[in-house]
Amino acid sequence: RFINRYPVVTTATALAGAVGGPLAALLLATVGWKGVFIVEGALLALPLAAVVLRRLPRSPEQATWLSPQEVNWIQAEAKLGGDDDGGCTAQQAFRDWRTWWLGVCWLLLEIPTYGCVFWIPQFVSSAAGFAHDDDHDTLSSADLARRAVTVSLLSAIPFSLAAAANVGAGHLVRTRGGRREVVAAVTAFAGSLTLAAAPHAGKGTLVVLSLAAALIWAAQAPLLGIAPTFLRGEAMAAGFAAVNAVGQMGGLVGPYLVGIVKSKYGGDADERAFAAAFALLGAFGALCAPMLLLYAWLTSSKRQAASYLRVEDSE
């Protein structure tokens, strides 16, 4: 259930790029950059946060979208203690090495994820040739607005595919089975290599970039779905928070690394800057794959050892 539902939450970054980009471009063209902050922040985000806080159910029984069977299942899961491979308290989750291992894996994946979130629009602008023009000062406000809207709409394509891939991957893993670690490793590795190749794709840049975004976001659902396999109850809440706390640091590291690389090459319009930056992002994402595969091997060996001990005890 977790791996089928939570990907809907993690599509937020992709949908923010798909919807927020064109909206920001439209506001930029009509009310200016200050208006973007006022409208999207003060007039939209803050009131919406208040609505969510007021409407958010306090318990599973108050969630109208849950069936009675789902409410009973959530309550039963919350009362469950851990088995031999996990614990039921927050302290046990923090002491479990698997919690922090998954956090590092999530960090490595979030570095290219947030690198894409913050820099895809500039990369698309550069690939479209807008960043190379020397006539920005001579263009009218209408022409600049059209360019902004064009770039934002093109940038929405990778993010839209990423959102769909995220939800689809979670559904496939849940319905078709398979090791979540392996699925996450394969998609993360393939997406990272594709991202590194995007600046060299020429006219196919947008296609390659869209494929990279879809693969990277597709790795999120199976990766985050690993935690419920060994955490239950209170440990699940604390352990999942720890995994996210470590992983979300990638939101700082990824964009910052791209900015450092681009400043070293001296200019937003330099193709070498994007090539080097995306290669660096891809390297971190690719490193996530062996970490996940090693995790799968370690946990598989631990389960086998535990089964052998149970057999010996029974004899």
Side-chain angles (χ1 to χ4, degrees):
R1 293 171 183 266
F2 177 90
I3 200 171
N4 202 35
R5 297 289 180 89
Y6 194 75
V8 178
V9 178
T10 58
T11 57
T13 54
L15 291 177
V19 179
L23 175 61
L26 179 62
L27 292 173
L28 185 65
T30 54
V31 297
W33 68 269
K34 293 181 180 179
V36 174
F37 285 94
I38 294 174
V39 174
E40 291 195 346
L43 300 183
L44 292 180
L46 291 178
L48 183 60
V51 172
V52 171
L53 183 62
R54 181 176 178 82
R55 300 282 297 179
L56 191 67
R58 305 302 182 190
S59 64
E61 296 89 342
Q62 298 178 4
T64 57
W65 64 84
L66 293 175
S67 66
Q69 294 80 8
E70 290 174 326
V71 171
N72 293 334
W73 177 84
I74 292 175
Q75 292 174 335
E77 284 290 303
K79 295 177 182 178
L80 279 179
D83 55 17
D84 292 338
D85 291 329
C88 60
T89 66
Q91 291 80 4
Q92 288 172 307
F94 294 146
R95 290 197 299 264
D96 196 320
W97 66 271
R98 293 170 294 185
T99 300
W100 304 108
W101 191 288
L102 288 180
V104 174
C105 292
W106 187 231
L107 167 66
L108 293 172
L109 184 63
E110 288 293 82
I111 289 175
T113 298
Y114 278 96
C116 291
V117 168
F118 283 93
W119 289 100
I120 275 183
Q122 287 199 27
F123 176 61
V124 170
S125 177
S126 177
F130 294 154
H132 298 276
D133 292 345
D134 298 325
D135 57 349
H136 284 78
D137 295 335
T138 62
L139 291 174
S140 64
S141 299
D143 290 333
L144 290 174
R146 279 194 292 269
R147 286 191 175 188
V149 172
T150 299
V151 170
S152 62
L153 290 176
L154 291 175
S155 301
I157 296 175
F159 291 124
S160 299
L161 294 176
N166 190 10
V167 176
H171 178 73
L172 287 176
V173 170
R174 182 173 182 267
T175 56
R176 300 292 180 87
R179 289 296 299 269
R180 301 174 185 187
E181 301 91 335
V182 176
V183 175
V186 171
T187 50
F189 188 77
S192 299
L193 292 185
T194 308
L195 179 64
H200 309 283
K203 294 182 178 180
T205 294
L206 187 60
V207 175
V208 176
L209 191 61
S210 299
L211 178 60
L215 289 169
I216 290 173
W217 261 267
Q220 295 184 4
L223 194 159
L224 290 175
I226 298 172
T229 62
F230 66 91
L231 295 172
R232 293 290 187 274
E234 180 185 337
M236 175 58 190
F240 192 74
V243 171
N244 256 314
V246 175
Q248 291 305 319
M249 288 190 292
L252 172 65
V253 176
Y256 186 71
L257 287 176
V258 176
I260 290 177
V261 173
K262 284 173 60 62
S263 63
K264 179 180 178 180
Y265 281 89
D268 291 342
D270 197 329
E271 292 86 351
R272 297 176 304 166
F274 279 113
F278 279 26
L280 184 59
L281 294 178
F284 280 98
L287 185 59
C288 178
M291 290 282 292
L292 286 169
L293 294 177
L294 181 57
Y295 172 91
W297 181 79
L298 290 172
T299 53
S300 178
S301 299
K302 184 179 179 180
R303 282 194 296 269
Q304 291 176 1
S307 65
Y308 292 151
L309 290 176
R310 284 193 293 269
V311 172
E312 291 178 356
D313 292 339
S314 65
E315 294 177 351

